[in-house]
């Protein structure tokens, strides 16, 4: 529907001096907002701010991160789905773009039809971490402890549709048990409560847990990547301890559907510049991740990942029978 509206607008504006490609050629002429659908200080926010800074330099305009947390990322995504498609409101989201259509049976937007993909950004492993004085010391002990104590354990997540909720769901499914889940607007504030000891446990991206693990502020059990990480070499993988839980949280940049192709191309170029930037690459490495390749920082690669991940997670979520509504 939005596409039809913008097509119609394009026809109407075709004879006007600032219409269509002339507008796109000048783009951007004012600051761009990138909506992060989680609270500030969390892992998606961290990725967004690193990338936005270099994109600002490349585009010659401020790229401002706006945090719109709530409902597992669906509030912020929904906001961008209905935003003007003039290139000045974008969305930086993660794997939740692909889980929400199954988790929410009445999702008010369509992740495929309502957005123009710009490119993939990075895939971040997750870590199982708990408050410092949580009783179990190893992943084997954690598994036994969770099985024995179930709902007496508090598990933080960033809402249904978030990566932490997905990881927790897979973890509980693997153990065939339930914990008490506590939703936040993002895992930044959840981490504050883990450090403060108000919450027991979370599974979250290394972009939010690395410095706390390194500083000994939380107890870490495992990383969900197939190999150990260079920045956390002592942390075993889930597979090493016999837990079948492998997950990488991929991030992508989107514009609202119907955004001019020349604008999407300009954004794609700026994204590629950001992902090749030395500071971004080294900061990503410190946080346990790497930027995607040039071929993956493209609309085609993001579109392909999004649709295949929607299919993948549909099966998993339907089998688990977990829904937000
Ligand atoms: N890591 C969070 C999640 O669980 C979101 C965030 O705050 O970036 O999806």
């Amino acid at each position: 529907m939005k596409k039809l509206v913008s097509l119609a607008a394009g026809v109407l504006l075709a004879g006007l001096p600032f219409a269509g490609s002339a507008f796109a050629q000048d783009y951007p002429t004012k600051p761009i907002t990138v909506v992060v659908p989680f609270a500030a200080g969390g892992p998606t926010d961290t990725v967004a701010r690193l990338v936005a800074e270099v994109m600002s330099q490349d585009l010659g305009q401020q790229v401002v991160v706006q945090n719109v947390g709530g409902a597992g990322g669906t509030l912020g995504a929904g906001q961008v789905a209905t935003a003007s498609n003039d290139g000045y409101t974008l969305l930086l989201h993660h794997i939740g773009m692909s889980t929400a259509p199954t988790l929410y049976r009445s999702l008010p937007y369509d992740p495929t039809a309502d957005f123009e993909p710009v490119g993939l950004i990075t895939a971040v492993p997750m870590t199982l971490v708990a408050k410092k004085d949580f009783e179990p010391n190893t992943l084997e002990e954690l598994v036994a402890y969770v099985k024995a104590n179930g709902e007496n354990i508090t598990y933080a997540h960033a809402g249904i549709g978030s990566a932490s909720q997905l990881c927790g769901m897979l973890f509980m499914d693997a153990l065939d048990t339930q914990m008490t889940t506590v939703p936040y607007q993002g895992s930044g504030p959840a981490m504050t409560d883990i450090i403060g000891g108000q919450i027991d446990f979370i599974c979250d991206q290394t972009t939010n847990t690395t410095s706390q693990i390194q500083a000994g502020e939380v107890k870490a059990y495992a990383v969900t990547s197939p190999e150990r990480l260079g920045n956390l070499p002592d942390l075993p993988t889930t597979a090493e301890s016999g837990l079948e839980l492998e997950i990488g949280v991929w991030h992508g940049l989107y514009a609202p559907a119907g955004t001019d192709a020349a604008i999407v191309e300009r954004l794609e170029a700026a994204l590629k510049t950001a992902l090749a930037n030395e500071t971004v690459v080294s900061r990503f490495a410190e946080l346990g991740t790497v930027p995607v390749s040039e071929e993956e920082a493209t609309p085609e690669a993001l579109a392909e990942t999004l649709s295949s991940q929607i299919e993948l997670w549909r099966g998993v979520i339907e089998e688990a029978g977990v829904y937000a509504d």
Side-chain angles (χ1 to χ4, degrees), residues 282-301:
S282 70
R283 192 65 192 123
F284 271 21
E286 284 165 10
L287 295 171
T289 186
V290 285
V292 297
S293 67
E294 265 211 31
E295 295 70 43
E296 290 168 309
T298 58
E300 298 73 30

Side-chain angles (χ1 to χ4, degrees), residues 36-46 72 93-96 126 157-159 161-166 185-189 202-205 207-208 249 251:
V36 165
F38 297 105
T44 312
D45 182 66
T46 297
H93 201 351
H94 65 20
I95 194 167
M126 301 190 88
H157 66 60
S162 66
S164 42
Q165 180 260 332
L166 179 67
Q185 294 220 339
S187 50
I202 192 171
C203 172
D204 201 21
Q205 288 115 286
T207 31
N208 194 38
V249 180
H251 294 76

Side-chain angles (χ1 to χ4, degrees), residues 198-219:
Q198 292 94 332
I199 291 283
D200 294 326
F201 175 42
I202 192 171
C203 172
D204 201 21
Q205 288 115 286
T206 54
T207 31
N208 194 38
T209 61
T210 296
S211 49
Q212 289 85 349
I213 295 171
Q214 286 167 342
E217 288 176 327
V218 294
K219 195 177 272 187

Side-chain angles (χ1 to χ4, degrees), residues 304-320:
E304 158 62 28
T305 297
L306 178 62
S307 57
S308 62
Q309 289 270 303
I310 288 173
E311 284 315 308
L312 172 80
W313 293 114
R314 175 176 295 133
V316 175
I317 294 162
E318 284 179 351
E319 205 179 308

